[in-house]
């Protein structure tokens, strides 16, 4: 197949064909190349190539040069207009035109003035094919006027007032650049308080005394003339009296609350807000109903100026600047409108047409407002130009049809609005030319292998020729999937290989003829560094050598260059370079660095680097045993096809005899830089006969080994390339597995380069159907690892074999491997699905297997989808998630466990292969029989009386059938926990409440309760309760906390677990309901950790406990439990200790006042102890002793506040639940002292607190006398005071 360059074919309606053809011609049209081969006989209309800018500001001190350059064939002539009329340069002796050019030179340096030549100039370039015109060039001389003389009065202000120093520079061309300096030409410092505005004025938000100076000078620099003008100095004096009163911001510029700003598209939008105020205001910017563009927004002048670059219509809108200080804020809104001078959407392009062809010129521009489009031909408005029957104007498009040579002309498109204009020239050149090849014949292209190759075929012709490429003298066709053909005729070979070498022919054709050209391509081997320089550490004064071996194409001559730190080597005789080495002798510290070996040919370059580190010399060590020195002088002899003899000279054995030599080889062709084990010989040998493989570029090295260890490798030997041979093995791991229903993917593990035995490694891939009589189909592929066979039948077994070959021949016949083409989804659903319900929770499903052919893949098993569709008891349908069970292999039955009794299920069965599931079988429904119910959801005992108890319950959550009745069994329990006779009672299934009468008063009963279906009884729920007490018979017997009409909970429980935490301790409290005299324990640990719970035993039966030694700022988990057989545990609570408090770094133990205070306290305590001892010896009653005898734990003894003696203790109080929140002060800083209890837990009114060291500060207040118990309530415990207060 020939590769051609032709416009792509599309189908259009008949009415659209001419326009599409015009567009195609426009796209394909090219400029006539001004090639020396074409200039002799091809004509071309003029084209403007260079011109002066539209707004041309000149220096009045230099000659005026107005540029106008153009090309064309024949060369164009030039003329000028000035201010719309013909400019006759011959009549003005100061004006000349450059030869062969339209550029004007006006000599005003000798005489004349620049102002005389101000005006609007336009250049016209004309030849026999048309006329091109330049832009209107407005010529104006630059101006740098002086400041007008003015008298500037000194300014005097009070500290803090605002100020604006006006600049008002003279109007110049172009506008001046403004800056403020002093008499010493030093720029005045600017800040958020003092800054220069866009208009050049200097703004002070508030003045300070340091602003006083007499030389505030505004300068105007006119860059075009390189001049600077200076304003008269301004004097400012700031009176440093009492500063002005602080005030909110107001704007110095702009004025008012709103202003307008208009900017042109593509320019820089600059918005400015400068405010005064005290303190100095800060400026902020926002865009209303939008955000500021991220990459185009910049702030200048301490954020007082907002700039947006490359502004567009999307940047229009309201921008708000906000000035803010501590006393208030003020806003100003700037409405921005972005207009646009005309800009091109599609400028007209030159057309080269042949006689009779069609074409179009399109001129499209945009702007704001929308620009007007006007056409000119040869510089004349088209409305008054000579008529051309082949031309039709349609707005922004000129349509040409059936053009002739007289249709050649230059057309100008003018797009203009109030902000500017665009002018573009485009010619229509009608030529009839046969194809021409512009590229020189027989060019030789040389390309490095595996890189792109570009073969040029520059061409010209009218009509536009088509291009075809051929390879070889026999005209072999090029394929589009291998080559890329560019529109300019260039042929690209993306990855050039050795077989790409050859002669290529480019053929250009149009209806007027044909031309061809031959070029030649050679593919070269890449340049490689096969031995790179290595990192070296050498001592100062020693010698170092870097090696760099290069392999290159034999026809290319490389240049080897050594660099140091990417620069040339020092010009020093210590540096010497031979063929492959760089040697540095007498190394110094300055020699350290990066050394690079660079190899360059005319086609490619490679480099490799190594670092040299120079260290100080070390003292000569005492002789020691060491590994051998490496062997040297390696030599190859007796070089045969598959063997060679290696000889070497051993190095010094360093006082330990060499036991063996190890020989390694490197394959520089296939695995450069990787060394493999070759052989080992005795330490007495210095030669070895080595067996070699075909087509390997061998290098050898030798290492010596003694009892100390192994030497470093020797230098590599010279390279030896063995001859190529056919492969002696085939690829391993050959597999055939389809990825799609119609393909077979054959994969294998490729041979490595060492195993290839020769160049041109390829693979012969063969396959055929296993069960057919087909012949083997074979294909030879490149050195890849996969081949895809398309168009195979679905899931058919194939025999596969992969054989290696190279340029020498084939490997041995490979073994056959069986594979399968791709799977597809199964076609048939399992039939005859049957369900056998085994029991209420288990069913067995049977089905008939599908035909194996319908599986269309590897049978993986069968999959059952089943779901509960309807409840038989409630008769209402509710959908739940489908469950799936998969049975491996060719099974025809399976069990469905875990079913819900008394339910309706639906299932279907599907066959599964490697591709997925097949269609589902018909849904099959089945019912599970009734089962036993679950336990009732709850059981409560309410409304106890002397001889009755009422039971309330909720039905089972899973009835698993129709409930037939409830069974209640109960029996009394006496005080020794012995069980009485058991009573059975049947209760109808529709009941949820039952009252038992004629029970014994004040008797504990245990209840067993369960539901029944027709299948049997379900799980039971138990509960215990006590009937109430006969007050007349039991008065004075029961303890005061058992009141009439109250049911004692038999099942004990702990509730309302709370924790009040401080920095390193926490108070834990809880409420308890249940039997008395229970031993509690507290377990705690760090929340979220896996460590075991830490356990603390609570003294007596208290319902509070103090934890100490906790870590500050740590979350803890806590729970409370009971010891013994009645063990139960509360729910967990989590609390967090307070953060660690910073302590003062003052040691009070060294303070004099502290030492004196402690001595006084010690003396006072000693006196009090003596007094107490005397009273005791006199027989005085000391109440503490009696209470200590009665209660073993003095920590929980309350004390009377009035006399400091220990008061009475109520045992009943221990068993009363603490009120939640009443034990902890509001600041949560309770700290435990020596006992496990917190003192706060005893107090009712607590106004004391703890110091950082845990000491108690303040006084506890409590009741002086115990109040008698009323009803069921125990008396409140009096508040204790600390031991020190008891002696006061």
């Amino acid at each position: 197949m020939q590769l051609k360059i032709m416009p792509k074919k599309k189908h259009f309606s008949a009415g659209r064909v001419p326009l599409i053809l015009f567009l195609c011609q426009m796209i394909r049209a090219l400029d006539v190349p001004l090639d020396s081969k074409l200039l002799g006989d091809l004509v071309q209309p003029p084209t403007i190539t260079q011109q002066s800018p539209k707004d041309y500001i000149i220096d009045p001190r230099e000659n005026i040069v107005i540029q106008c350059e153009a090309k064309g064939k024949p060369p164009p002539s030039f003329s000028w207009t000035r201010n719309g009329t013909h400019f006759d340069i011959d009549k003005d002796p100061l004006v000349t035109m450059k030869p062969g050019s339209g550029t004007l030179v006006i000599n005003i340096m000798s005489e004349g003035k620049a102002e005389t030549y101000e005006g609007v100039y336009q250049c016209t370039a004309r030849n026999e094919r048309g006329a091109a015109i330049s832009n209107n060039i407005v010529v104006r001389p630059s101006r740098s006027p002086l400041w007008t003389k003015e008298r500037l009065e000194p300014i005097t202000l009070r500290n803090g007032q605002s100020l604006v120093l006006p600049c008002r520079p003279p109007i110049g061309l172009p506008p001046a650049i403004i800056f403020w300096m002093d008499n010493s030409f030093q720029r005045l410092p600017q800040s958020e308080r003092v800054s220069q505005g866009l208009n050049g004025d200097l703004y002070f938000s508030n003045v300070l005394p340091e602003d006083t100076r007499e030389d505030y000078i505004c300068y105007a620099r006119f860059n075009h003339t390189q001049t600077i003008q200076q304003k008269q100095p301004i004097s400012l004096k700031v009176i440093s009296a009492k500063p002005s009163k602080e005030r909110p911001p107001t704007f110095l510029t702009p004025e008012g609350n709103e202003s307008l700003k208009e900017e042109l598209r593509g320019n820089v939008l600059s918005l400015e807000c400068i405010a005064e105020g005290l303190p100095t205001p800060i400026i902020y910017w926002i865009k209303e109903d939008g955000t500021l563009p991220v990459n185009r927004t910049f702030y200048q002048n301490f954020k007082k100026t907002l700039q947006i670059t490359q502004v567009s219509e999307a940047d229009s809108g309201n921008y708000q600047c906000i000035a803010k200080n501590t006393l208030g804020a003020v806003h100003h809104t700037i409405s921005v409108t972005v207009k646009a001078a005309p800009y091109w959407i599609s400028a007209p392009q030159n057309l080269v047409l042949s006689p009779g062809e069609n074409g179009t010129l399109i001129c499209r521009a945009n702007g704001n407002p929308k620009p007007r489009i006007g056409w000119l031909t040869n510089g004349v408005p088209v409305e008054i130009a000579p008529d051309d029957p082949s031309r039709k104007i349609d707005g922004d498009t000129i349509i040409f049809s059936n053009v002739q040579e007289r249709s050649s002309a230059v057309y100008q498109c003018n797009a203009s609005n109030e902000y500017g204009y665009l002018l573009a020239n485009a010619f229509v050149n009608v030529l009839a030319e046969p194809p021409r090849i512009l590229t020189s014949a027989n060019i030789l292209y040389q390309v490095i292998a595996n890189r792109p190759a570009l073969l040029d075929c520059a061409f010209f012709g009218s009509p536009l020729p088509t291009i075809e490429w051929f390879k070889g003298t026999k005209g072999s066709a090029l394929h589009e999937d291998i080559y890329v053909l560019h529109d300019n005729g260039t042929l690209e070979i993306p990855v050039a290989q050795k077989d790409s070498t050859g002669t290529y022919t480019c053929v250009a054709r149009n209806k007027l003829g044909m031309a061809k050209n031959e070029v030649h391509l050679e593919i070269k081997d890449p340049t490689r560094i096969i031995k790179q320089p290595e990192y070296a550490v050498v001592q100062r004064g020693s010698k170092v050598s870097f090696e760099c071996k290069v392999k290159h194409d034999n026809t290319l001559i490389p240049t080897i260059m050594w660099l140091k730190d990417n620069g040339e080597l020092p010009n020093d005789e210590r540096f010497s370079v031979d063929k492959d080495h760089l040697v540095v002798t007498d190394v110094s510290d300055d020699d350290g660095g990066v050394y690079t070996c660079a190899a360059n040919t005319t086609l490619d370059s490679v480099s490799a680097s190594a670092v040299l580190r120079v260290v100080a010399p070390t003292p000569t060590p005492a002789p020691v045993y060491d590994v051998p020195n490496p062997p040297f002088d390696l030599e190859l002899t007796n070089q045969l096809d598959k063997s060679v003899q290696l000889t070497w000279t051993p190095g010094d054995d360093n006082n330990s005899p060499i036991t063996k030599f190890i020989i390694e080889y490197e394959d520089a062709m296939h695995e450069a830089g990787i060394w493999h084990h070759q052989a080992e010989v005795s330490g007495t040998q210095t030669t070895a006969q080595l067996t070699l493989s075909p087509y390997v570029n061998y290098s050898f090295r030798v290492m010596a080994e003694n009892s100390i260890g192994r030497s470093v490798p020797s230098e590599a030997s010279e390279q030896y390339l063995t001859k190529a041979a056919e492969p002696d093995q085939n690829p391993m791991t050959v597999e055939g597995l389809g990825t799609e229903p119609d393909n077979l993917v054959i994969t294998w593990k490729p041979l490595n380069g060492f195993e290839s035995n020769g160049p041109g490694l390829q693979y012969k891939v063969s396959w055929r159907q296993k069960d057919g009589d087909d012949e083997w189909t074979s294909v030879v592929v490149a050195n890849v690892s996969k081949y895809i066979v398309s168009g195979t039948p679905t899931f058919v077994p194939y025999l596969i074999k992969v054989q290696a070959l190279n340029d020498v021949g084939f490997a041995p016949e490979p073994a056959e491997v069986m594979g399968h083409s791709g799977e597809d989804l199964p076609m048939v659903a399992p039939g005859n699905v049957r369900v056998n319900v085994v029991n209420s929770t288990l069913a067995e499903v049977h089905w008939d297997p599908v035909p194996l052919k319908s599986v269309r893949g590897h049978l993986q098993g069968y999959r059952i989808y089943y779901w509960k569709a309807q409840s038989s008891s409630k008769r209402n349908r509710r959908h739940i998630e489908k469950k799936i069970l998969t049975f491996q292999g060719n099974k025809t039955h399976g069990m469905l466990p875990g079913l819900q009794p008394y339910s309706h299920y639906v299932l279907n069965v599907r066959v599964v292969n490697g591709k997925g599931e097949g269609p589902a079988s018909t849904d099959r429904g089945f019912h599970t029989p009734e089962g036993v119910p679950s336990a009732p959801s709850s059981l409560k005992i309410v409304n106890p009386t002397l001889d009755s108890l009422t039971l309330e319950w909720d039905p089972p959550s899973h009835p698993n059938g129709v409930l037939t009745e409830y069974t209640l069994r109960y029996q009394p329990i006496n005080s020794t926990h012995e069980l009485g006779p058991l009573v059975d009672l049947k209760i109808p299934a529709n009941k949820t409440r039952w009252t038992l009468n004629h029970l014994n008063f004040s008797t504990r009963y245990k209840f067993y309760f369960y539901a029944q279906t027709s299948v049997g009884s379900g799980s039971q729920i138990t509960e215990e309760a006590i009937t109430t007490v006969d007050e007349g018979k039991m008065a004075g017997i029961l303890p005061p906390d058992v009141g009439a009409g109250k049911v004692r909970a038999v099942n004990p429980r702990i509730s309302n677990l709370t924790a009040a935490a401080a920095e390193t301790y926490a108070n834990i409290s809880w409420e308890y309901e249940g039997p008395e005299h229970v031993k509690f324990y507290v377990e705690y640990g760090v929340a979220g950790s896996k460590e075991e719970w830490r356990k603390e035993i609570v003294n007596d039966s208290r319902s509070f406990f103090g934890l100490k030694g906790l870590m500050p700022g740590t979350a803890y988990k806590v729970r409370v439990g009971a010891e013994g057989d009645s063990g139960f545990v509360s729910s967990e609570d989590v609390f967090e200790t307070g953060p660690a408090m910073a302590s003062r770094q003052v040691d009070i133990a060294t303070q004099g006042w502290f030492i004196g205070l402690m001595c006084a306290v010690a003396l006072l305590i000693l006196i009090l102890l003596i007094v107490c001892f005397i009273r005791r010896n006199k027989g005085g009653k000391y109440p503490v002793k009696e209470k200590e005898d009665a209660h073993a734990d003095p920590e929980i003894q309350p004390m009377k506040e009035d006399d400091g003696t220990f008061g009475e203790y109520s045992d009943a109080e221990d068993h009363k639940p603490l009120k939640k929140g009443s034990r902890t002060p509001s600041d949560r800083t309770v700290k435990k002292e020596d006992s496990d209890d917190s003192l706060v837990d005893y107090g009712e009114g607590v106004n004391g607190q703890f110091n950082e060291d845990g000491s108690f500060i303040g006084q506890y207040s409590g009741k002086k006398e115990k109040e008698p118990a009323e009803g069921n309530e125990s008396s409140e415990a009096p508040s204790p005071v600390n031991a020190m207060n008891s002696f006061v």
Side-chain angles (χ1 to χ4, degrees), residues 1057-1072:
L1057 176 64
T1058 58
E1063 182 181 341
T1064 59
Y1065 53 89
N1067 278 344
I1068 312 302
S1069 61
W1070 60 89
E1071 294 183 3
Y1072 166 69

Side-chain angles (χ1 to χ4, degrees), residues 826-1080:
M827 300 172 59
V828 178
N832 194 19
V833 177
R834 309 173 301 283
V835 182
N836 177 28
V837 179
V838 179
N839 54 41
S840 60
T841 62
L842 180 66
E844 183 177 17
V845 183
H846 292 262
W847 61 88
D848 291 346
V850 300
L852 289 180
K853 287 187 177 181
S854 69
V855 177
R856 299 201 294 182
H858 295 284
L859 176 63
Q860 294 189 354
Y862 290 86
R863 189 167 292 162
I864 299 178
Y865 285 75
Y866 64 100
W867 61 95
K868 185 178 176 182
Q870 183 177 353
S871 172
S872 298
S873 58
K874 297 185 179 180
R875 308 302 300 175
N876 67 327
R877 185 175 298 274
R878 61 186 182 95
H879 296 283
I880 62 173
E881 182 181 358
K882 293 184 179 182
K883 298 181 180 180
I884 303 172
L885 278 179
T886 301
F887 299 92
Q888 304 292 336
N890 196 16
K891 289 191 176 182
T892 59
H893 68 281
M895 306 297 287
L896 300 183
L899 302 178
Q900 183 72 37
Y902 201 57
S903 300
H904 179 64
Y905 280 89
V906 178
L907 64 80
N908 58 51
V909 186
R910 312 174 192 204
V911 65
V912 183
N913 66 11
K915 190 73 172 179
E917 299 176 350
S921 67
T922 304
D923 288 352
R924 180 73 64 186
F926 65 93
H927 291 270
T928 54
E930 286 189 282
V932 297
S934 62
S937 300
S938 65
L939 176 62
K940 296 184 293 184
I941 292 89
V942 297
N943 301 331
T945 65
L946 290 173
D947 61 349
S948 69
L949 292 171
T950 298
L951 283 72
E952 293 182 353
W953 64 88
D954 290 323
S957 57
H958 297 289
N960 293 339
V962 178
L963 297 181
T964 58
E965 62 184 1
Y966 292 101
T967 298
L968 175 64
R969 306 172 70 193
Y970 63 95
Q971 58 189 149
I973 306 174
N974 61 19
S975 58
T976 62
H977 298 285
E978 295 177 350
L979 299 175
L982 192 63
V983 178
D984 279 11
L985 180 64
K986 303 296 184 182
I987 299 175
N990 60 351
K991 298 292 185 180
T992 59
R993 180 184 177 97
W994 195 265
T995 300
L996 295 176
N997 297 310
H998 309 298
L999 303 176
N1000 297 328
F1001 68 88
S1002 188
T1003 301
R1004 180 187 302 168
Y1005 286 90
K1006 185 168 186 177
F1007 299 93
Y1008 313 87
F1009 191 65
Y1010 53 87
Q1012 288 181 289
T1013 64
S1014 60
V1015 176
S1017 303
S1019 302
Q1020 68 180 13
I1021 185 172
T1022 63
E1023 188 57 272
E1024 295 183 14
I1026 302 175
T1027 55
T1028 56
V1029 181
D1030 188 338
E1031 296 181 1
K1033 296 181 180 181
M1034 302 299 293
I1037 298 177
L1038 294 177
D1041 61 341
V1042 180
K1046 184 175 181 181
V1047 178
R1048 287 292 304 267
V1050 176
N1051 287 335
R1053 69 189 183 98
I1054 296 173
S1055 60
N1056 292 337
L1057 176 64
T1058 58
E1063 182 181 341
T1064 59
Y1065 53 89
N1067 278 344
I1068 312 302
S1069 61
W1070 60 89
E1071 294 183 3
Y1072 166 69
E1073 298 180 27
E1076 300 178 3
H1077 307 296
V1078 174
K1079 287 285 188 180
F1080 296 107

Side-chain angles (χ1 to χ4, degrees), residues 40-109:
D41 55 356
L42 288 184
V43 293
Q44 180 172 325
T47 301
I48 300 291
T49 59
Q50 191 173 3
Q51 57 184 316
S52 295
K54 294 179 181 178
D55 190 6
Y56 188 24
I57 299 175
I58 62 173
D59 189 337
R61 300 167 300 180
E62 298 178 355
N63 288 337
I64 304 172
V65 178
I66 309 175
Q67 288 186 329
C68 179
E69 304 289 344
K71 67 179 181 178
K73 184 65 178 180
S77 60
F78 297 90
S79 62
W80 286 86
T81 63
R82 177 182 173 193
N83 298 327
T85 61
H86 176 68
F87 182 35
D88 192 349
I89 63 176
D90 295 332
K91 293 182 179 181
D92 192 334
L94 300 182
V95 181
T96 59
M97 185 183 296
K98 288 185 178 181
S101 166
T103 299
L104 294 182
V105 179
I106 304 175
N107 185 7
I108 62 172
M109 296 182 65

Side-chain angles (χ1 to χ4, degrees), residues 400-422:
F400 298 94
S401 58
N402 193 23
V403 296
Q404 303 301 321
E405 287 197 27
R406 65 177 179 275
S407 301
S408 296
V410 182
Y411 289 85
Q412 290 81 34
C413 172
N414 188 344
S416 61
N417 64 12
E418 60 189 273
Y419 297 103
Y421 73 93
L422 293 173

Side-chain angles (χ1 to χ4, degrees), residues 725-746:
E726 65 274 3
D728 51 21
Q729 60 179 316
N730 287 304
M732 305 294 291
T733 321
V734 178
E735 294 181 350
L737 181 65
T739 58
E740 298 295 335
D742 60 349
N743 76 4
L744 171 66
V745 179
I746 303 172

Side-chain angles (χ1 to χ4, degrees), residues 613-664:
R613 188 162 69 93
V614 182
V615 298
T618 56
T620 303
V624 293
Y625 294 98
D626 201 353
V627 299
N629 291 346
F632 56 93
D633 287 344
L634 275 65
E635 183 180 2
L636 298 178
T637 58
N638 298 336
Q639 298 176 355
L640 303 177
D641 288 349
K642 292 190 177 182
S643 67
V644 71
Q645 180 173 288
L646 176 64
T647 305
W648 62 92
T649 301
D652 191 342
D653 64 5
N654 291 325
N655 303 316
S656 178
I658 296 174
T659 57
K660 64 179 177 180
F661 291 99
I662 299 96
I663 303 170
E664 294 182 337

